[in-house]
Amino acid sequence: MAAHRIIFANEKGGSGKSTSAVHAAVALAVKGHKVSALDLDTRQRTLGRYLDNRAALMKRDGLDLAMPAYHTFDPAQRVEIGESLDQLAADADYLIVDTPGRDDDHVRAAIASADTLVTPINDSFVDLDLIGQVDPDNYKIKRPSFYAELVWDARKARAKQDGGTVDWVVMRNRLQHLEARNMRRVAAALNELSKRVGFRVIPGLSERVIYRELFPKGLTLLDLAAIGQDAGVAHIAARGELRELIAGLQLPEAAAAPSREAEPA
């Protein structure tokens, strides 16, 4: 069975794309699945560096953590993007791909190959503008934006290629904890646009300092028990967000080894 391909893509930077991709990859690996990850952002290499840090910590401290196989795509090696995707997907249950915050041929090829396309956005009209233009007076959607058209073209290409479908998921990151008028307006606009363009909306990850603090060691919220660290209230809440994120993706279940997840104290 071919790996289920999960592509994290958004042309706008700062949406939490790489953080979400890394945590999704590790969360699936912790459950016993064979996971591969590909970083298409050859400049920032956030996913690749995150997992480099993880590998270094495991080696230094002798830790046995769930670890995806991973690779950073390098166009200079003259390897076709399709070949890189196929190689990583060949021996995996899930393939996670993190893309740069720009539009290029490699990103489009990855989106066209997706089984699940995840577009993280911050909970604001600035980020919503990526996929739909909003009327400034009544906050109704006027028309889909360029990125929505790009995804539509990728979906058509996928259907023509192998008859497959792309499940497009828009993930609302950094949700406000307090109910606000702007939050309700964004939610209403997203709901309207989802019906017109064809995507699902799920909650993502909040703005939490702990996500940034974990990066230098390559750790995730699921590793606290393995390193003997107690979980605070914020950690427990963030773990709940991550579980809800994975559940919201509605991924097909692959055969898995016993789960490696343990609840922290």
Side-chain angles (χ1 to χ4, degrees):
M1 176 179 167
H4 186 91
R5 300 185 183 193
I6 310 167
I7 315 300
F8 285 78
N10 182 333
E11 290 185 14
K12 185 179 181 299
S15 63
K17 184 170 68 269
S18 298
T19 299
S20 302
V22 168
H23 274 76
V26 172
L28 291 169
V30 164
K31 289 182 176 293
H33 299 295
K34 298 174 70 175
V35 181
S36 293
L38 177 64
D39 193 340
L40 285 185
D41 193 343
T42 55
R43 291 182 182 176
Q44 294 193 12
R45 278 198 73 237
T46 304
L47 181 142
R49 286 168 47 230
Y50 205 124
L51 294 176
D52 283 345
N53 294 343
R54 186 177 184 83
L57 178 72
M58 291 170 63
K59 181 177 180 180
R60 187 187 71 218
D61 293 357
L63 296 173
D64 180 24
L65 303 176
M67 183 70 177
Y70 69 102
H71 175 69
T72 297
F73 182 73
D74 183 2
Q77 295 180 352
R78 300 184 182 279
V79 177
E80 293 292 331
I81 178 62
E83 183 179 345
S84 291
L85 290 166
D86 290 344
Q87 287 176 353
L88 283 167
D91 189 36
D93 300 319
Y94 299 102
L95 170 61
I96 305 283
V97 180
D98 186 28
T99 63
R102 63 177 182 271
D103 176 30
D104 62 29
D105 290 341
H106 299 137
V107 173
R108 293 191 180 208
I111 292 175
S113 77
D115 296 302
T116 300
L117 171 64
V118 184
T119 302
I121 66 170
N122 293 326
D123 207 45
S124 72
F125 283 108
V126 174
D127 279 39
L128 178 59
D129 189 68
L130 174 80
I131 51 179
Q133 296 179 24
V134 178
D135 187 291
D137 296 321
N138 59 22
Y139 299 98
K140 298 289 186 180
I141 296 294
K142 295 195 295 184
R143 65 182 66 87
S145 295
F146 171 77
Y147 185 75
E149 294 174 355
L150 183 154
V151 174
W152 175 252
D153 290 340
R155 284 169 141 175
K156 289 192 296 184
R158 173 66 188 280
K160 184 177 180 180
Q161 177 182 350
D162 60 12
T165 58
V166 179
D167 180 23
W168 187 12
V169 179
V170 172
M171 185 169 65
R172 295 175 69 188
N173 272 344
R174 297 169 180 163
L175 289 170
Q176 301 293 323
H177 290 289
L178 297 177
E179 185 69 8
R181 179 183 302 176
N182 186 69
M183 182 179 176
R184 294 194 299 272
R185 285 173 172 169
V186 170
L190 270 174
N191 183 58
E192 178 188 346
L193 186 59
S194 69
K195 296 173 182 176
R196 292 178 57 177
V197 179
F199 57 76
R200 298 187 292 111
V201 182
I202 66 171
L205 306 179
S206 299
E207 178 64 81
R208 296 183 185 276
V209 175
I210 52 177
Y211 291 115
R212 297 191 292 273
E213 291 178 340
L214 293 169
F215 173 81
K217 293 185 178 181
L219 292 172
T220 72
L221 296 164
L222 302 174
D223 302 313
L224 302 182
I227 63 173
Q229 179 177 330
D230 292 340
V233 174
H235 293 93
I236 294 172
R239 282 167 60 97
E241 290 176 351
L242 180 58
R243 289 195 180 98
E244 191 172 357
L245 186 163
I246 297 299
L249 294 179
Q250 299 178 9
L251 302 175
E253 282 297 327
S259 172
R260 301 172 54 149
E261 184 173 6
E263 291 291 341

